[in-house]
Each structure stands twice: as structure tokens, then as C-alpha cells.
Amino acid sequence: MSSNQSSHQCNNHDNSDNSREPPPSLPTPTGELPMDNNITSKAGFKQELEAVEAGLLQLEQGIEDKTRSEESLADLQLIAARKLRQLLSTNRELLIQEVLERNWIPLLLGWLQLHQRPSVQVEALWALTNIAAGTGNGEPNTSRGSGEQHVLMKHGAIPILIGLLSSPNDEVLEQALWVLGNMAGEGISARDSVLGHGVLSPLVGCLERNTCSLSMLRIGSWTLSNLCDAQPRPVLDIHLILPVLAKLLQNVDAEVLSHTCWTLSHICDGPSTHIKAVVDTDVCWRLVQLLMHRSWRVTKPALRAIGNIVCAEDETDYTQQILECGAVPCLRHLISHNNREIQKEACWTLSNISAGTIEQIQNVLDSGSIPSLVKLSAASDTDPEVKNEACWVVLNATSCGSDYQIEYMVKHGCVAVLCGLLCEPSMVMMALEGLERILQVGEDEAKRIGCSNPYAKLLSTNKLEEL
């Protein structure tokens, strides 16, 4: 809808969205770990830690010793790296401080540049990933802006990690992408730093590979979502990423679809030029299809993206393009969804469509949404936020609708909804405007057929007298 049509302010949502999707499963190196039951005890942990450090020292001495073969040094590196992974798998919290105090992060970052030894790169990446954000069982750390993450950045990890996106080894690629994605999700500063080092082009290259695995698609789409998230929105070349996002939208995996839809929703919460670019990419029809996806984790971000497109404040009416893709019948279905957030978002999107043209309002009426919205507004067990958005559909439709549409709204119980809003400070003026419009239509009808205003008796005079 154009900015001069809106009655319901589109920015009523906090689109920073704190219901972020969890990251993909942390890739685990395929190399086998040495078994040691003693490692779970504190004494055993210290013993193993000393063994790792001894291995690292032996490695340094071996590098200086020109008589040691390259193959022998590579074996030492791999043994030390796998020992470190074993410690992370069982004693992550204890290990983090030890790694920082012993200044092992620069060493691990150095191992990332051993391109001829991908097995060592993978082990070092897994260690760095867990230190920065994960746990030994692959679960992400939910804290934001962790100190360990900033340690990686301080030691120049970002350009090294981006350099690994050209690796021919899939394990190295996935691990590097995971770390970059996690760093991008740590806040605006980290996100902009990752973007500033030029991650987009190699990331897009990874996702466009014909041999791209499902796990790579999941991690890459999640990384893209994190790079586009958070307020203020980042400055990025969306024309670079939109073709790959359009391709990802055709995937059948729910996790890939979820991350991709979130990325598009973040982009559509930005400047109107970004929304235009998304619409011009011809993805709206697919977003509408995904409103009916079996997983709410796909439905919700697809709905958010469509809602952001509909409420774009621009001279171009993007709402019409969404309607032509068949969105309204899907939204009608979603207002009865068992997920509260989806219910609320569906009503919010319908409310902004109802602030549009007469033809767009008719789309909402023809879908049969109004009786369901009136029922939601009246039910005592309706979530307050869902009820609020449902009421806005009625408010906007009565304010912007034609006489015929007003008659339809009255017939389906909207007067009671508006009267119920007279005690709501944030909506009372809009409710009065809607009631005045209904009375005007009723007055015209009364003059035409020569009787009293048929709608006047429907109003709650008690509430009007109180005002």
C-alpha cells in the first residue's frame, strides 16, 4: 500500500525479531578421537591439557629441527588438534579459559592456513567454533556478543575464515561458514565487520556450486540470514544475493527455506529500493506458496516477508502484486492458525491490505475473513495482541471502504467490534471515525428508502455517552 493510504501504522511491529531460528547443527570432524575415560575428571583434564601443550611444544621444536620430515610434523599437528577436540567434547567450560590464558588462538588460526592439510584445518576450525560459540555436543551458546568471539576478531580471524571459502574441501568450507555465520549473529559490529571483509561474494559462490550439499545449504542460508539481520539494517549489495535467494526458495528442505525466508524478511524491512528489488526478482508467488507450508518455521518468516512488502511506504503499490499471487485466501486460513505469532502476523498483514484501495478491501471481504476476524475480536480467550490486529482490519476497512463494503461489514457484526474499541485509548478515535462512516452510510440509506437510520440502533449509546 502507498504511504498516503495507510490508517494503521506499519511500523507497529518490532521487526528486529527476537525469535531467531537456531543455527544448523555444528559440523563435526570425521576423524576418530582417541578414547580416554580418565578425561572427565579434573585431574584427568589437566593431564590431557598438559599432553596437548607438550605436543604443541614438540611441534614447534620439530619445525625448528630440519631433520624432522614434513609428514612427521603433520602427524604431530593432527594428534594435538584431535586431543584438543577431545577436551572440548568433555570439558568445554574448563578449556576456554585455558586456551585464552595459554594464547592458543593465534596458533589455531595459523593452522587454518595449512591448505595442504585439510584434516588439521578442520580440527582447528572445530576447536575455534566451540570456543567462540558452541558446546561439545554441538549446541550453540545462546549468549550474544561473547568475549570469546571478540578474541577471534581481535586476532584477525575474519579474513582467514573468508579465505577458506575457496577451499576444495567440503568439511573446511562448512566449518568456516559456520564460524562466520555465528560471528555475524553476534551483533551489529561483528556483522558489519564480517560484511566489510567481503564475505558476500565467496559465500554466494559456495551456495551456487552444483555440488553444494544439504548441510552446506543450511549453513550458508543461515549465515546469509545473520548477515542481513539486526537494526540498523546493514549496507550490502542485495543484487548480488537475490539470485541465490530465489534459487534457495525452490529448495524442499524446511531449514533452508526458513533461513531464506528470514533473509528476505530482513531485506524487505529495509529501504523501499530493497523491497522493489525483491519484488522484481519474482519471488512473491513462492513466498505466498510457502504461507501454507507444513512447518510453522517456514510459514512465519514467509508471512513476515509478505507483511513487510505489503506495508512498504512507497509510491509503488506492492500490495497489488501480493494480492495477484493469491495471498489473501492464505491469510484467511492463517488467522485461525494454532501459532499465536502467525495469527497476529496474518491479521497485521490483512489490516494493511484493508487500508488500501476499494478493490483491495474487496479482496479481503471476498475471502470470507471478516466473520472470523469479528469472532476473534469478540472471543474472551483471544490473545490480546491477536485481538488488537484483528480489530485493525475492521477499523481500516470501515474507514477506507465503499458504501457497499460498509453494509457488508455491518451485516457481519463490525459495529459491535467498533463499539468495543471505544474504551481503548489507542483506538478510540479510529473507532469513532469508523462509526461515523457507518452512520453516514445508514443515513444515506434512510433517505433513499424513507425511514430512520437502520444502523443507529446498533450503536452502544452508553459508551458514546461516557465519551
Side-chain angles (χ1 to χ4, degrees):
M1 106 192 126
S2 301
S3 58
N4 61 344
Q5 294 173 315
S6 173
S7 298
H8 181 196
Q9 292 298 310
C10 292
N11 60 359
N12 66 321
H13 275 299
D14 176 13
N15 277 346
S16 59
D17 193 35
N18 48 16
S19 58
R20 295 164 56 90
E21 281 297 286
S25 298
L26 177 61
T28 302
T30 55
E32 292 185 7
L33 289 175
M35 297 301 295
D36 190 343
N37 295 329
N38 187 44
I39 202 170
T40 55
S41 69
K42 194 166 184 179
F45 168 76
K46 285 291 185 183
Q47 184 179 347
E48 292 299 316
L49 191 66
E50 296 302 329
V52 171
E53 185 157 56
L56 297 178
L57 289 173
Q58 189 179 9
L59 180 59
E60 289 180 9
Q61 293 165 1
I63 292 171
E64 295 172 2
D65 183 0
K66 304 300 182 184
T67 63
R68 296 294 294 267
S69 69
E70 187 173 327
E71 185 178 349
S72 174
L73 292 175
D75 289 341
L76 284 174
Q77 282 176 320
L78 192 56
I79 290 168
R82 285 182 175 166
K83 272 285 187 186
L84 188 58
R85 171 153 64 101
Q86 185 182 29
L87 291 174
L88 279 166
S89 299
T90 54
N91 293 273
R92 179 182 178 273
E93 298 302 324
L94 283 172
L95 183 62
I96 288 175
Q97 196 58 40
E98 293 286 350
V99 168
L100 296 177
E101 288 179 0
R102 295 168 190 250
N103 201 31
W104 285 356
I105 286 180
L107 176 67
L108 291 169
L109 289 173
W111 286 2
L112 297 186
Q113 299 179 71
L114 300 173
H115 302 294
Q116 74 282 17
R117 301 173 194 166
S119 57
V120 175
Q121 286 180 308
V122 169
E123 295 290 349
L125 276 166
W126 198 85
L128 288 168
T129 302
N130 276 273
I131 290 165
T135 60
N137 61 8
E139 293 297 322
N141 183 356
T142 56
S143 65
R144 313 299 297 156
S146 64
E148 294 82 13
Q149 196 71 263
H150 293 297
V151 169
L152 291 187
M153 293 174 64
K154 184 179 75 174
H155 285 287
I158 294 175
I160 296 172
L161 291 164
I162 292 174
L164 295 178
L165 298 186
S166 60
S167 171
N169 184 282
D170 283 350
E171 277 194 279
V172 172
L173 268 176
E174 289 187 17
Q175 291 278 354
L177 261 183
W178 205 100
V179 182
L180 286 165
N182 199 72
M183 294 178 90
E186 286 295 331
I188 296 168
S189 175
R191 177 202 69 189
D192 291 347
S193 184
V194 175
L195 283 168
H197 281 86
V199 72
L200 279 185
S201 185
L203 170 55
V204 168
C206 290
L207 291 172
E208 288 181 334
R209 294 186 346 174
N210 291 329
T211 57
C212 196
S213 65
L214 178 58
S215 58
M216 180 84 73
L217 289 173
R218 288 174 173 175
I219 296 167
S221 58
W222 167 70
T223 300
L224 263 181
S225 178
N226 281 353
L227 287 167
C228 295
D229 197 6
Q231 295 282 8
R233 294 300 183 202
V235 177
L236 47 76
D237 183 0
I238 62 165
H239 296 286
L240 176 62
I241 63 175
L242 281 176
V244 77
L245 289 172
K247 180 180 177 182
L248 290 171
L249 272 187
Q250 302 309 311
N251 201 282
V252 297
D253 181 69
E255 193 172 331
V256 172
L257 289 171
S258 178
H259 296 314
T260 304
C261 288
W262 275 121
T263 304
L264 288 166
S265 78
H266 301 326
I267 292 172
C268 291
D269 188 35
S272 59
T273 53
H274 286 191
I275 297 172
K276 182 180 186 305
V278 169
V279 172
D280 289 347
T281 308
D282 195 28
V283 297
C284 292
W285 66 272
R286 178 58 173 160
L287 287 171
V288 170
Q289 278 187 339
L290 294 175
L291 291 178
M292 306 306 292
H293 196 275
R294 65 185 181 279
S295 171
W296 68 267
R297 292 187 179 278
V298 177
T299 298
K300 183 178 176 182
L303 177 57
R304 173 66 66 84
I306 287 171
N308 286 340
I309 292 171
V310 165
C311 79
E313 296 189 2
D314 192 271
E315 291 305 313
T316 304
D317 187 9
Y318 301 116
T319 298
Q320 191 57 38
Q321 291 172 270
I322 293 296
L323 265 56
E324 288 170 2
C325 293
V328 174
C330 298
L331 295 170
R332 156 72 182 87
H333 178 78
L334 294 179
I335 60 178
S336 302
H337 201 280
N338 57 13
N339 182 292
R340 183 192 74 88
E341 286 292 320
I342 289 175
Q343 270 191 302
K344 183 179 75 169
E345 297 270 342
C347 292
W348 170 64
T349 304
L350 284 170
S351 75
N352 285 305
I353 295 171
S354 298
T357 65
I358 298 296
E359 292 76 15
Q360 289 167 357
I361 295 170
Q362 193 60 44
N363 261 272
V364 176
L365 271 54
D366 289 345
S367 73
S369 297
I370 296 300
S372 298
L373 291 164
V374 169
K375 186 177 179 181
L376 273 177
S377 302
S380 59
D381 60 345
T382 301
D383 177 87
E385 291 186 352
V386 173
K387 181 179 292 190
N388 181 72
E389 299 297 344
C391 289
W392 271 111
V393 183
V394 176
L395 285 168
N396 286 344
T398 50
S399 297
C400 306
S402 66
D403 289 2
Y404 170 79
Q405 289 168 340
I406 296 294
E407 291 173 8
Y408 176 93
M409 300 281 287
V410 171
K411 180 181 177 181
H412 287 87
C414 291
V415 171
V417 174
L418 295 176
C419 287
L421 296 175
L422 294 175
C423 56
E424 296 290 336
S426 63
M427 294 183 172
V428 62
M429 294 307 297
M430 282 290 294
L432 285 171
E433 287 179 22
L435 290 170
E436 182 181 15
R437 178 83 176 90
I438 288 170
L439 288 173
Q440 287 174 348
V441 172
E443 191 63 28
D444 291 342
E445 175 71 7
K447 289 177 181 178
R448 187 175 63 82
I449 62 176
C451 68
S452 61
N453 190 324
Y455 300 152
K457 62 184 179 182
L458 300 176
L459 271 62
S460 171
T461 54
N462 290 338
K463 288 185 178 178
L464 288 172
E465 287 171 1
E466 287 176 10
L467 289 171

